[in-house]
Amino acid sequence: MRLFRSLYVQVLLAIAAGALLGYCDKEWGVAMKPLGDAFIKFVKALIAPLVFTTIVVGIGNVRDLRKVGRVGLKSLLYFAGATTLALVLGLAVVNALQPGAGLHANPATLDTKDLATYSEKAKHLTVVEFLVGIIPDTFVGAFTSGEILPVLLLAVLTGVVISRLGDRAKPALDLAHSVADIVMGIVGLLMKLSPVAAFGAMAYTVAKLGPEVLVSLGKLLVCVYLTCLGFVFIVLWAILRAAGLRLWPLLCYLREELLLVLGTSSSEPALPGLLSKLERLGCAKPVVGLVVPAGYSFNLDGTCIYLTMAAIFIAQATDTPLTLVQQLSILGMLLLTSKGAAAVTGGGFITLAATLSMTHTLPVAGLALLLGVDRFMSEARALTNLVGNAVATIVIAKWEGGFDVAKARAELGEPAVTAPATSSVG
């Protein structure tokens, strides 16, 4: 049937089948883990060349470098505003619903043996270390470190130089364009295996943690998911509406990427498809090439919501009193440390460990409470991050005058807007 040829239907069925296998047979479910791990590992191997060539081509084709600077500045301003809103919303919800109240967990008795890896990495996640870490040891090393920010830095510098050299650098620009096409071709082939990856990842998650793991921390899970949904359907809806588009058609347009994120609990596998679809939607290629990769490091709306709620949850669960001033200071720390959440492996959890260490108030041992369900919350984080970056790209493209609203409406299957209606859109 034609329906079953659709990638998003295949991924959806794979997620359901994986969950069923993990529930019915834990041994087989755990054995499926390599399917998801291998897929994500392959995608990560393609992220660096994809980001590099996309940004180089985007900037290299722009002869006015002031435009590149404007896009970068507008991106940072938008990212700062959006992530601040996410942090404040998370803080408000976790204080209103009190998901950790009544647990009375004693930090001294918590099992912390699994926290060693996160705590060790968190020691190096200071502001200075983060900024220095953006600079790669070697040019090639930026592509082998597994981090986006060093690649982003080199790509911007390379693109700027190519733009300044003009016609003399045309062979290099053509080469970058060809490499980008090749990488996208590989990604296209790899995406055909995404249902297999989603199946393996979901089977392992359910088998390893089990449905009963949701009981003890179910309230926190519900709070995180509801807050993420509220941020998407209220905050991002309003922002996108101001840009002249509706949210639901955009979510349907990105359904393959969203389902892929749902199955793998990571937004990285969806990056290639997101880049391609935003260009087809009418966003200017240079804007897409700059905003999306930068957003993967600096515009982590879902991660910010999780970090705030998790930190205050630990305070509530361990009966650690926090004044409003202390909570606001934690929010301020998270506003800075959350920008490094994508720069390290296991970023969200490591960033939380670093923030708890910086407060000297919240027990780092409280992270042990979250280990069991962090995987489930990572799905909400990743989905919110993906939608947030899509909306950010559209808004900044329109802000910069590089967004074709008519093309976007046609791509999303929305009716054309008449002149009077267009003028009424904020």
Side-chain angles (χ1 to χ4, degrees):
M1 292 177 62
R2 181 176 298 179
L3 178 64
F4 293 102
R5 295 177 185 173
S6 172
L7 182 62
Y8 77 88
V9 172
Q10 293 174 7
V11 172
L12 187 60
L13 292 175
I15 290 173
L20 183 62
L21 175 63
Y23 178 77
C24 295
D25 193 320
K26 286 182 168 44
E27 184 176 349
W28 272 98
V30 171
M32 295 297 108
K33 186 176 186 289
L35 295 178
D37 290 348
F39 180 81
I40 294 177
K41 186 177 181 180
F42 206 149
V43 170
K44 286 185 175 181
L46 298 174
I47 292 296
L50 182 63
V51 168
F52 182 82
T53 54
T54 300
I55 293 177
V56 168
V57 170
I59 297 178
N61 281 320
V62 178
R63 290 295 178 258
D64 185 4
L65 289 178
R66 288 176 298 180
K67 182 176 180 179
V68 176
R70 286 200 310 271
V71 173
L73 179 60
K74 289 174 181 177
S75 298
L76 291 177
L77 289 174
Y78 178 91
F79 295 162
T83 51
T84 301
L85 279 174
L87 287 168
V88 171
L89 180 61
L91 186 65
V93 173
V94 76
N95 275 289
L97 300 183
Q98 299 277 320
L103 286 183
H104 307 300
N106 184 353
T109 62
L110 293 174
D111 184 4
T112 60
K113 65 178 184 298
D114 292 330
L115 297 177
T117 301
Y118 299 107
S119 299
E120 183 62 31
K121 290 183 179 180
K123 293 178 183 177
H124 304 288
L125 198 60
T126 64
V127 174
V128 175
E129 290 288 339
F130 168 65
L131 293 175
V132 173
I134 296 176
I135 305 172
D137 295 327
T138 63
F139 195 98
V140 176
F143 296 88
T144 60
S145 64
E147 301 175 7
I148 293 180
L149 289 178
V151 178
L152 194 65
L153 175 63
L154 289 179
V156 170
L157 293 175
T158 304
V160 167
V161 173
I162 288 177
S163 177
R164 293 181 63 183
L165 290 175
D167 292 338
R168 286 182 293 167
K170 191 175 185 303
L173 187 59
D174 292 339
L175 176 62
H177 207 296
S178 297
V179 173
D181 290 341
I182 292 172
V183 175
M184 285 300 294
I186 297 174
V187 168
L189 294 175
L190 184 62
M191 287 302 115
K192 296 183 183 298
L193 299 176
S194 57
V196 178
F199 169 79
M202 187 57 65
Y204 169 78
T205 300
V206 176
K208 185 69 175 178
L209 302 180
E212 65 276 2
V213 76
L214 300 179
V215 176
S216 61
L217 297 175
K219 194 174 181 180
L220 176 63
L221 278 168
V222 170
C223 287
V224 170
Y225 271 83
L226 287 178
T227 307
C228 286
L229 286 171
F231 184 83
V232 170
F233 286 99
I234 298 175
V235 178
L236 294 183
W237 172 85
I239 293 173
L240 190 61
R241 193 63 179 160
L245 295 179
R246 293 186 299 132
L247 178 64
W248 186 251
L250 179 65
L251 296 180
C252 294
Y253 181 66
L254 297 174
R255 57 187 178 272
E256 289 94 344
E257 287 69 32
L258 292 171
L259 286 170
L260 185 58
V261 170
L262 182 64
T264 61
S265 296
S266 172
S267 58
E268 287 184 335
L271 175 59
L274 183 62
L275 289 168
S276 176
K277 284 191 172 181
L278 286 173
E279 287 182 26
R280 294 209 311 266
L281 198 62
C283 296
K285 188 179 183 69
V287 177
V288 174
L290 278 172
V291 177
V292 175
Y296 264 62
S297 291
F298 294 103
N299 190 42
L300 305 173
D301 301 328
T303 302
C304 287
I305 289 172
Y306 161 77
L307 289 173
T308 312
M309 300 189 77
I312 305 304
F313 170 82
I314 290 173
Q316 295 170 355
T318 57
D319 297 319
T320 304
L322 290 177
T323 65
L324 178 60
V325 173
Q326 287 176 314
Q327 291 190 33
L328 292 176
S329 68
I330 292 173
L331 188 148
M333 292 179 192
L334 288 171
L335 190 59
L336 294 175
T337 57
S338 63
K339 300 301 179 278
V344 287
T345 304
F349 215 75
I350 297 167
T351 299
L352 183 58
T355 305
L356 295 184
S357 300
M358 290 166 61
T359 65
H360 301 295
T361 303
L362 297 176
V364 179
L367 287 171
L369 294 169
L370 303 175
L371 277 174
V373 291
D374 182 70
R375 167 79 186 206
F376 289 100
M377 287 188 283
S378 68
E379 294 172 350
R381 299 196 300 259
L383 288 168
T384 307
N385 291 341
L386 180 73
V387 179
N389 281 316
V391 172
T393 306
I394 293 171
V395 170
I396 295 168
K398 185 172 184 182
W399 192 0
E400 187 60 22
F403 181 60
D404 190 337
V405 178
K407 182 178 180 181
R409 288 182 173 277
E411 189 74 17
L412 296 177
E414 293 196 65
V417 179
T418 60
T422 302
S423 61
S424 66
V425 176

